Amino acid sequence: MPGPYGYPRTEAPPTDDAIGWITGRLPEDWFVGLQISIDRDEILIVGQLPEPALPEDATEIDKAAAEAGRIERFREPTRDHRIKLAQQIEHRYRRKCSWGATCGDTKELFTTLSAPVMSRLKQKDRLVLDTLVNAGVARSRSEALAWCVRLVGEHANEWLSDLRGAMESVDELRRKGPDL
């Protein structure tokens, strides 16, 4: 099955060194913290920006506006550089590269991949999605399904974490095995 750039998924290079490689390519003055998330389709880079200095009596609205302003101040002048870095990352790892920033309690994702997922749902399952749409929880079945996946992810975090750890062990055993 092809990946986001038409390459077969089996040919996508490993990302074992991606966090280090990306961190080494980023300008040192961009972020005070960094979170890089990687899946088989996308590499998401979210940098933490320093919080703006505000007066003691600043309201929550002032704080949120200042944080949003700080993110926008970062976003515009770094756009061309981020695009060039994304092209290098996409070429090296054959995954879409997306960006975001956090500042205080404010988080903004600039570009992210929204991957279509095919699913065959029985009527009972479609009715659940339609109920979420009709109740205004989601605007569409696909958004309702994404909401359900996030909900399961939040409540099954420990189990999913254990499963990911087990998968990493399997990947390590495969790497140690003979080449075919």
Side-chain angles (χ1 to χ4, degrees), residues 120-132 141:
R120 300 202 184 277
L121 300 176
K122 304 274 187 219
Q123 185 179 38
K124 178 180 168 186
D125 299 326
R126 292 191 311 268
L127 287 172
V128 170
L129 298 180
D130 290 341
T131 299
L132 293 171
R141 283 181 173 174

Side-chain angles (χ1 to χ4, degrees), residues 83-155:
I83 289 170
K84 288 178 185 169
L85 285 172
Q87 290 169 340
Q88 293 169 2
I89 292 165
E90 290 170 4
H91 177 75
R92 183 177 175 103
Y93 297 105
R94 295 189 193 145
R95 290 163 173 83
K96 178 75 176 150
C97 178
S98 302
W99 294 90
T102 61
C103 183
D105 296 329
T106 304
K107 179 177 184 178
E108 184 178 346
L109 300 180
F110 308 151
T111 53
T112 57
L113 179 66
S114 181
V117 177
M118 180 155 167
S119 62
R120 300 202 184 277
L121 300 176
K122 304 274 187 219
Q123 185 179 38
K124 178 180 168 186
D125 299 326
R126 292 191 311 268
L127 287 172
V128 170
L129 298 180
D130 290 341
T131 299
L132 293 171
V133 171
N134 293 336
V137 172
R139 292 179 298 217
S140 65
R141 283 181 173 174
S142 63
E143 192 175 279
L145 185 57
W147 182 85
C148 292
V149 169
R150 279 192 303 275
L151 186 65
V152 168
E154 288 173 12
H155 294 287

Side-chain angles (χ1 to χ4, degrees), residues 1-148:
M1 172 172 255
Y5 298 102
Y7 299 102
R9 289 203 188 281
T10 57
E11 292 182 25
T15 57
D16 299 347
D17 67 340
I19 292 174
W21 192 85
I22 292 167
T23 301
R25 298 288 298 149
L26 292 173
E28 291 178 10
D29 63 340
W30 273 13
F31 306 121
V32 296
L34 187 64
Q35 180 183 6
I36 300 174
S37 305
I38 302 171
D39 69 15
R40 67 184 192 182
D41 297 315
E42 178 181 30
I43 297 175
L44 175 61
I45 303 166
V46 180
Q48 180 184 352
L49 301 172
E51 293 183 42
L54 293 171
E56 294 268 337
D57 61 344
T59 66
E60 287 300 312
I61 293 171
D62 292 333
K63 182 179 180 222
E67 291 170 354
R70 176 65 51 96
I71 291 171
E72 196 62 29
R73 186 179 90 181
F74 166 80
R75 183 178 185 179
E76 292 306 319
T78 63
R79 183 182 310 272
D80 291 340
H81 196 162
R82 285 185 293 107
I83 289 170
K84 288 178 185 169
L85 285 172
Q87 290 169 340
Q88 293 169 2
I89 292 165
E90 290 170 4
H91 177 75
R92 183 177 175 103
Y93 297 105
R94 295 189 193 145
R95 290 163 173 83
K96 178 75 176 150
C97 178
S98 302
W99 294 90
T102 61
C103 183
D105 296 329
T106 304
K107 179 177 184 178
E108 184 178 346
L109 300 180
F110 308 151
T111 53
T112 57
L113 179 66
S114 181
V117 177
M118 180 155 167
S119 62
R120 300 202 184 277
L121 300 176
K122 304 274 187 219
Q123 185 179 38
K124 178 180 168 186
D125 299 326
R126 292 191 311 268
L127 287 172
V128 170
L129 298 180
D130 290 341
T131 299
L132 293 171
V133 171
N134 293 336
V137 172
R139 292 179 298 217
S140 65
R141 283 181 173 174
S142 63
E143 192 175 279
L145 185 57
W147 182 85
C148 292

